Amino acid sequence: MSETEEAPAAPAAPGRLRRALPHSRRGRLSLVSALVLALAGAGFGTWAADTWPWPKDRYCWGAWEEDSGPGFLGDEAFGDDDDGARTSEETTPTRERPVGTCKVSIASDFESSYDGDKVTVDQQVSVEYGPVPKAAEARLKMIQDGFLGGNMVPLPDGLPGTVNGRGGLLVLPESCDTRDGRPTVVTMRASGTYTSDSSSAQSDPADLGGVRQAAVLLVAVANHGMEAAGCAPDEPLKVSSPVYDLPGERELIFSAGDVCGIRGLHLDTDDIEDQTGAATRDLQTCSVQGSRDGLAYLQLAMVAQPRLAAVFDGIVGERPVAPGWRGTGSIGKEHAIVRADCAGRPATFLMGVSTDPDHLAAFANAAAARLGCAPIAPKGAAR
C-alpha cells in the first residue's frame, strides 16, 4: 500500500459571526499601496524592516490560517476571478455548551477563457463539533452514511476516525463525552458547485489538498474545538504518519455478480458498482451505488477500533437480530446494527440503505472469518 496526498442544553446565546475581508489579488494590491503610503508618510520603518503588519486571517476557531497550504485557503480558490471572496461564519463551542459550527465559503465569478461563458463557483468547507445524536437512526445516518463508506480510509496514527479528500470524522477523547456517556465528534465536509452559461451546476468541492492534508485540517480544528470547550487532553492530537489503506477503484457489477468481494453477497440488479475501502483489523468498509445515477444501494462497515465503535454504544440493543445470530442488534427502516465478540474484542457490523438480513449475514460472516472468529449469523442465513 502507498501513501496518498490526496446533552440537552439551555438555549444557546447567539453564535459569533465572523466575516472575513474579501480576499483578492486586486484588493490586496490596493491595500498594500495604501498601507505603504501611510507608513512612509508617518515615518515608520516597518515596511523597510521587511515586517508585514497586516495579519493573515484565521478560520474555524483559529485552527486554519490563510495561505497555509490547502487550495481553499489560498488565492488559487478564486481561479481567474480577481475579486473572489472568502468569508466565514462560526459558533465556538464553550464549556457551558460544547457544540460548535464553522463554515468557510468561497465565492467566485469570472469569464471562461475557453468559451467566454460566465462561470460562478460557490464552495464551502463545513465543520461541526458536538455529541452524537441520541436517536439510533439519526446516529447511524450521521456516522455510517456520512463517514463509513467505501471511499473513506482510517485516520493515521491510531486516531479514531475516517477521512477522504472531501472531509472526515474524528471521535474525541473520553474527557469530551457528555454526561450521559455519548462521545463528542468533529466532522468536516467540503462541498461546492461550478455553474456556467452553457451547462447546469456541477459538483466542485472546495480543495482540501488531498487525503492527508484533510486529516491535518480535521485534527487541527478538533484541537481548537476541545480547547474552547475545556476538554482538551494534556497533549494535542496530531497527524505524523502517512495515510494508508487506500480505497479501491469503483468496479462495475453485473446482475448476478458478488459485491464487495464477498461470495454470496449480491443485489440482483444491473447498473451498479461497488467500492471497497479499508480492510484492517479495526475497520472494513464497502459501498454499492448506481453506476449511472450514483444513488446508494448498500453501505456496509465493520468497526472494531474501540473509540470509533463507542459512537454506537447505547443503540445496539439487548437481543439478537434473529434466532441463531450471535451478539445483539436490530434491523430498522434504513439501517441494521449487530455487535458481537470477535477475536477477543467487540466488533460492530453495520448496514445502511438495504435492510435485507441476508446482505448483513453475508457481510458479517465474511468479516468475522477474516478476523478469525466464529460466524455472526447462522448457516443458511445468507442465501
Side-chain angles (χ1 to χ4, degrees), residues 159-179:
L159 294 169
T162 60
V163 67
N164 65 11
R166 295 189 179 186
L169 170 145
L170 174 62
V171 186
L172 302 185
E174 291 184 17
S175 57
C176 298
D177 284 1
T178 63
R179 291 182 179 180

Side-chain angles (χ1 to χ4, degrees), residues 132 136 139-140 143-144 148 183 301 303 307-317 337 339 348 350:
V132 294
R139 194 182 309 184
L140 289 166
I143 306 297
Q144 183 186 357
L148 287 176
V303 181
R307 190 63 188 154
L308 181 55
V311 300
F312 304 110
D313 288 351
I315 64 171
V316 178
I337 183 170
R339 179 172 287 176
T348 304
L350 303 153

Side-chain angles (χ1 to χ4, degrees), residues 106-368:
I106 306 295
S108 181
D109 294 286
F110 57 92
E111 184 177 288
S112 171
S113 59
Y114 174 71
D115 55 14
D117 273 7
K118 179 183 177 181
V119 175
T120 300
V121 178
D122 292 296
Q123 299 177 322
Q124 301 81 37
V125 179
S126 303
V127 172
E128 294 187 9
Y129 178 111
V132 294
K134 285 187 175 182
E137 279 290 334
R139 194 182 309 184
L140 289 166
K141 184 174 183 62
M142 171 190 174
I143 306 297
Q144 183 186 357
D145 291 2
F147 301 101
L148 287 176
N151 61 347
M152 307 296 291
V153 299
L155 284 168
D157 302 300
L159 294 169
T162 60
V163 67
N164 65 11
R166 295 189 179 186
L169 170 145
L170 174 62
V171 186
L172 302 185
E174 291 184 17
S175 57
C176 298
D177 284 1
T178 63
R179 291 182 179 180
D180 62 6
R182 286 175 293 143
T184 293
V185 300
V186 175
T187 62
M188 177 179 70
R189 302 174 188 266
S191 59
T193 57
Y194 174 103
T195 308
S196 68
D197 291 337
S198 59
S199 65
S200 56
Q202 303 175 40
S203 177
D204 185 28
D207 179 14
L208 299 182
V211 182
R212 191 179 188 283
Q213 182 64 64
V216 172
L217 291 166
L218 177 61
V219 171
V221 79
N223 282 328
H224 281 71
M226 289 189 290
E227 285 285 349
C231 65
D234 293 337
E235 294 293 331
L237 307 179
K238 62 181 180 179
V239 175
S240 58
S241 302
V243 177
Y244 292 105
D245 302 307
L246 304 183
E249 297 294 329
R250 292 175 179 169
E251 296 185 1
L252 288 172
I253 304 297
F254 297 102
S255 60
D258 297 332
V259 300
C260 302
I262 297 173
R263 181 176 299 177
L265 178 56
H266 54 87
L267 302 185
D268 295 324
T269 186
D270 293 319
D271 298 324
I272 59 173
E273 57 188 17
D274 66 2
Q275 184 172 28
T276 55
T280 71
R281 181 172 179 266
D282 287 336
L283 183 67
Q284 180 174 344
T285 61
C286 183
S287 301
V288 183
Q289 66 179 39
S291 58
R292 297 181 180 178
D293 53 24
L295 294 177
Y297 277 74
L298 184 63
Q299 295 273 18
L300 297 166
M302 181 285 299
V303 181
Q305 204 281 346
R307 190 63 188 154
L308 181 55
V311 300
F312 304 110
D313 288 351
I315 64 171
V316 178
E318 300 178 352
R319 298 179 180 180
V321 168
W325 285 63
R326 291 204 300 119
T328 61
S330 62
I331 297 178
K333 294 181 179 180
E334 297 181 352
H335 299 87
I337 183 170
V338 175
R339 179 172 287 176
D341 180 81
C342 192
R345 60 179 183 162
T348 304
F349 304 88
L350 303 153
M351 180 172 70
V353 187
S354 168
T355 55
D356 187 330
D358 288 348
H359 296 157
L360 181 60
F363 171 72
N365 284 347

Side-chain angles (χ1 to χ4, degrees), residues 59-77:
Y59 308 94
C60 288
W61 322 314
W64 305 334
E65 186 178 68
E66 172 193 0
D67 294 330
S68 59
F72 81 97
L73 293 176
D75 276 350
E76 58 265 39

